[in-house]
Amino acid sequence: MVNLVAAQKPLLHGLMKMAGLVPHTVEIDEETVMSFWVPRRKEDKIEKKKNNNNNKDHKTRKKPAVVLVHGFAAEGIVTWQFQVGSLTSKYDVYVPDLLFFGGSFTSNTDRSPTFQSECLTKALAKLDVERCTVVGFSYGGMVAFKMAEMYPELVTSLVISGSVLAMTDSISGTTLERLGFASSSELLLPNSVKGLKALLSVAAHKKLWFPDRLFRDYLEVMFNNREERAQLLEGLIVSNKDASIPNFSQKILLLWGENDQIFNLNLAKNMEEQLGGNTTMQAIEKAGHLVHLERPCVYNRRLKEYLALFTQVE
């Protein structure tokens, strides 16, 4: 029987290509590879470089780079399918798959957000990305925060949705108790239709209905590398006493679903205060944790307004 989710992938790939993106694999080192969708002209330039083509490229206007970092329940282009086409006319958009998502993999045993950010930064360097805005959702937001902290010369500004600076003991415990889950793996790594429905019910504001077959197909396609992803969740947790608030130099936008049940609006407001004057928060009504999927038009408009303020053509 045809997997309905897998069958939609060629269509999604076609939409990405229509928007000007193509798939590309970056070999970071002998242990680690990361899969990306990158601007088509960037892929052409990389291939010319590989083939030792010394012909000078015609000078073209360099667009600002925007890196879209996905969350825990889906790979890059599935997460950002409604954002890519809205951005590519004015920005060079890069959509990575974090390690153990999509085609990205490592034999290194480090499962921390720090290691994810290091690998993503090295991959962007190999793609000749020198400065960028990073847009991070949920798990990807934690990676984005770590990138901005460690590599301020690369990350010029941040947009964060449904995430936290770090998953501390207290945030993890309080969130799981409030939502009624025993562990992060039970919430974010469902292994049954019932579990996936429970995740969707807390992630989305609107009550969405899909046939059970679609849930089964999604589980089969999107939840591979389960052992490694469970380790990623374990690697997220930091002790309260080890948590600190970095002094970010970048402008930061917290773009939130007003009805986010996982990381609620009060948490976002507290984070805005903790981060100080470079940070602003905007809430989108009638949207939950999946704000970029539930209200894509509003999300895209707010995102582009912010990008227009803090990015410029080189």
Side-chain angles (χ1 to χ4, degrees), residues 25-34 126:
T25 299
V26 179
E27 184 176 340
I28 297 170
D29 53 39
E30 64 277 6
E31 294 183 315
T32 306
V33 296
M34 292 192 81
K126 286 179 177 285

Side-chain angles (χ1 to χ4, degrees), residues 132-153:
C132 62
T133 295
V134 181
V135 183
F137 163 66
S138 198
Y139 176 63
M142 299 178 215
V143 175
F145 272 132
K146 189 58 69 174
M147 283 180 68
E149 178 186 355
M150 297 172 63
Y151 306 102
E153 71 284 355

Side-chain angles (χ1 to χ4, degrees), residues 31-308:
E31 294 183 315
T32 306
V33 296
M34 292 192 81
S35 58
F36 274 77
W37 284 78
V38 304
R40 181 178 290 110
R41 61 183 179 81
K42 178 70 71 171
E43 167 76 3
D44 293 342
K45 184 177 179 181
I46 292 167
E47 289 304 315
K48 286 181 181 179
K49 192 174 180 180
K50 282 183 181 178
N51 295 329
N52 296 316
N53 188 326
N54 293 320
N55 293 331
K56 291 184 178 179
D57 295 329
H58 293 293
K59 285 190 175 181
T60 57
R61 192 173 72 159
K62 188 176 180 182
K63 297 178 182 178
V66 176
V67 181
L68 304 176
V69 190
H70 63 81
F72 209 83
E75 59 195 47
I77 60 171
V78 175
T79 299
W80 300 110
Q81 58 187 289
F82 297 131
Q83 281 66 55
V84 171
S86 178
L87 296 173
T88 49
S89 64
K90 292 186 178 180
Y91 302 96
D92 278 342
V93 177
Y94 296 81
V95 188
D97 289 326
L98 294 173
L99 298 174
F100 305 113
F101 296 84
S104 298
F105 190 83
T106 185
S107 57
N108 192 300
T109 58
D110 193 335
R111 299 292 182 261
S112 67
T114 297
F115 183 66
Q116 289 273 22
S117 70
E118 289 172 348
C119 290
L120 181 50
T121 298
K122 290 176 182 178
L124 290 171
K126 286 179 177 285
L127 292 169
D128 296 326
V129 177
E130 298 175 352
R131 295 173 69 77
C132 62
T133 295
V134 181
V135 183
F137 163 66
S138 198
Y139 176 63
M142 299 178 215
V143 175
F145 272 132
K146 189 58 69 174
M147 283 180 68
E149 178 186 355
M150 297 172 63
Y151 306 102
E153 71 284 355
L154 170 66
V155 181
T156 59
S157 56
L158 281 176
V159 180
I160 303 294
S161 297
S163 189
V164 289
L165 283 163
M167 184 63 80
T168 62
D169 294 330
S170 58
I171 291 176
S172 177
T174 301
T175 302
L176 291 171
E177 183 179 359
R178 174 167 47 81
L179 296 176
F181 290 85
S183 67
S184 295
S185 290
E186 183 185 347
L187 171 62
L188 295 170
L189 279 176
N191 55 17
S192 66
V193 169
K194 181 180 178 181
L196 185 53
K197 286 182 176 180
L199 173 57
L200 182 62
S201 71
V202 299
H205 170 59
K206 300 173 184 175
K207 302 304 178 186
L208 303 173
W209 181 88
F210 299 104
D212 285 357
R213 180 187 169 186
L214 195 60
F215 283 106
R216 285 193 294 270
D217 289 352
Y218 192 91
L219 284 168
E220 182 179 335
V221 172
M222 289 297 166
F223 286 90
N224 53 5
N225 298 322
R226 284 182 172 271
E227 180 179 350
E228 291 86 356
R229 291 194 197 182
Q231 293 166 357
L232 291 178
L233 290 174
E234 292 175 6
L236 274 180
I237 306 299
V238 298
S239 171
N240 289 330
K241 60 180 174 50
D242 294 330
S244 61
I245 309 298
N247 184 22
F248 291 106
S249 59
Q250 299 91 342
K251 296 289 186 182
I252 301 172
L253 172 64
L254 306 177
L255 189 51
W256 233 255
E258 192 174 80
N259 306 102
D260 192 327
Q261 295 184 63
I262 297 177
F263 296 123
N264 60 42
L265 203 58
N266 285 334
L267 189 151
K269 290 176 180 177
N270 290 338
M271 191 160 55
E272 179 188 16
E273 293 178 3
Q274 292 172 336
L275 291 173
N278 282 339
T279 303
T280 57
M281 192 196 75
Q282 296 182 23
I284 296 177
E285 63 180 9
K286 298 179 182 178
H289 190 64
L290 300 174
V291 56
H292 56 292
L293 296 174
E294 291 191 276
R295 301 293 307 278
C297 294
V298 179
Y299 185 94
N300 293 350
R301 185 173 69 249
R302 302 276 186 91
L303 175 59
K304 289 191 289 186
E305 288 171 353
Y306 178 79
L307 291 174

